[in-house]
Amino acid sequence: MEKQEWLNNVLNSTQGIQRAEAPDSLWVKIQQELKNEVKVIAMVPRRTVWLAAASVALLILLNLVAVRSYHPTQKMTALEALMAEYQLSAENLSMP
Amino acid sequence: MTNAEFEILYKKYKNRVYNTALSYLQQAEDAEEVAQDVFVEVFRSQQTFRQEADIGTWIYRIAINKSLDFLRHKTRQKRFAFLTNLFHQETDEIIHDPPDFQHPGVLLEQKENATYLFKALNELPETQKTAFILTQIEDLSYAETAKVMDVTVASVEALLHRGKQSLRKKLEKYYRS
């Protein structure tokens, strides 16, 4: 048989093909899966799961941002603030 | 959608979904698994289904996407198989390389030729494969195929033409003079 003829035959080999029939067990399996899914949904709604996951992710993100942007600042005591305001130094305060 | 309505829908589309999945996956067990996923998805997503769209088109799309996802997953498994055991421990059969596929609906005198065709079909890009399966195996019109693939009729024609050309080249290695 010529090569081209063979190729044409192969390419046309699906002509007249019948659809394969789905197995009888398929419907039962689908019903079973849907029942199982209903149970899971009844326990924890999908939206709640996603909401919880998003909240945790946001919390982690905010913590990371907070830690990264944290710079310890020097706190002035009341005495130091007073000294700064009146431009006093330790030498000025020393008594004769 | 009530259970009764869903059952009617299932009965109408079960063979189309199963046959489409079988054409992609070429294994009855895998096709059954995908068909199961498709109908669960149909039931689950019925609220999001846009009524103006054709339900058959929508179901075909789900079937194609699920089949392609399954194939991609299998391809990843095959790659990983090189790092794990290639042979079954008890039977010594190759785990990840299934035997040649024979479609149950092919005419008896075409069985051998169709086996070569399905082998070569596996090597086509996804869009060309989809155009071929829908038009040549599912027997959809070009217009129906275009709707399912969300492309123009001209694109379907071009994909099919390129697909057939590519199949010819790939089939040459199976030719015995």
Side-chain angles (χ1 to χ4, degrees):
Chain A
M1 191 189 289
E2 284 292 313
K3 191 175 176 181
Q4 290 309 314
E5 194 186 341
W6 181 81
L7 286 171
N8 288 337
N9 283 344
V10 172
L11 277 176
N12 295 325
S13 62
T14 54
Q15 279 184 359
I17 193 171
Q18 301 287 312
R19 272 200 186 110
E21 291 209 359
D24 295 335
S25 57
L26 183 58
W27 176 244
V28 179
K29 287 180 181 173
I30 291 165
Q31 289 293 302
Q32 194 58 49
E33 198 171 326
L34 286 173
K35 271 182 196 166
N36 291 343
E37 198 167 78
V38 167
K39 277 181 197 166
V40 173
I41 289 169
M43 282 192 292
V44 187
R46 188 178 288 265
R47 200 177 161 192
T48 310
V49 174
W50 279 110
L51 207 65
S55 303
V56 170
L58 185 69
L59 192 69
I60 291 169
L61 186 76
L62 287 173
N63 273 294
L64 281 174
V65 170
V67 167
R68 283 194 171 195
S69 60
Y70 175 68
H71 298 294
T73 53
Q74 287 182 333
K75 277 187 180 174
M76 277 188 182
T77 62
L79 180 63
E80 284 168 338
L82 188 73
M83 286 168 71
E85 196 178 343
Y86 290 98
Q87 294 179 335
L88 299 172
S89 64
E91 288 128 15
N92 294 342
L93 287 175
S94 59
M95 298 296 283
Chain B
M1 192 189 292
T2 63
N3 270 349
E5 287 168 338
F6 180 58
E7 193 170 353
I8 292 168
L9 191 76
Y10 167 78
K11 281 181 180 164
K12 188 175 178 187
Y13 290 102
K14 63 175 183 175
N15 290 344
R16 296 184 212 198
V17 168
Y18 177 73
N19 197 54
T20 305
L22 189 64
S23 302
Y24 280 98
L25 308 171
Q26 304 184 8
Q27 273 201 325
E29 297 81 13
D30 293 347
E32 189 180 356
E33 195 180 324
V34 166
Q36 186 182 330
D37 284 352
V38 170
F39 282 104
V40 169
E41 174 86 25
V42 165
F43 188 82
R44 200 195 290 155
S45 320
Q46 52 182 294
Q47 305 296 335
T48 58
F49 169 65
R50 287 171 298 140
Q51 290 301 320
E52 68 265 25
D54 175 31
I55 197 155
T57 304
W58 180 59
I59 292 176
Y60 263 121
R61 277 184 196 160
I62 297 175
I64 291 165
N65 288 335
K66 294 263 179 207
S67 299
L68 289 174
D69 285 346
F70 195 97
L71 270 182
R72 289 178 202 128
H73 176 70
K74 250 193 149 176
T75 309
R76 282 197 296 274
Q77 273 190 330
K78 269 186 185 175
R79 283 185 194 139
F80 186 68
F82 287 105
L83 304 171
T84 58
N85 288 335
L86 273 172
F87 299 94
H88 196 279
Q89 282 183 339
E90 288 166 14
T91 60
D92 275 351
E93 283 176 4
I94 299 171
I95 298 171
H96 295 280
D97 201 5
D100 289 342
F101 170 66
Q102 290 209 327
H103 192 289
V106 170
L107 299 173
L108 193 63
E109 62 270 25
Q110 295 286 5
K111 289 268 182 202
E112 193 184 343
N113 283 345
T115 302
Y116 292 126
L117 180 66
F118 277 103
K119 256 187 183 179
L121 195 61
N122 273 336
E123 299 172 40
L124 284 189
E126 287 177 356
T127 47
Q128 290 177 17
K129 193 192 288 186
T130 299
F132 190 90
I133 288 173
L134 292 182
T135 56
Q136 308 298 301
I137 301 173
E138 272 301 298
D139 206 22
L140 296 191
S141 68
Y142 286 3
E144 288 168 325
T145 304
K147 260 190 187 175
V148 172
M149 294 182 74
D150 202 17
V151 294
T152 61
V153 172
S155 299
V156 172
E157 285 171 347
L159 282 170
L160 192 60
H161 179 69
R162 285 206 301 275
K164 282 185 175 177
Q165 276 187 328
S166 186
L167 279 173
R168 276 182 179 278
K169 282 182 193 159
K170 291 174 195 308
L171 282 166
E172 280 179 0
K173 64 180 171 233
Y174 302 117
Y175 178 70
R176 289 184 297 264
S177 55

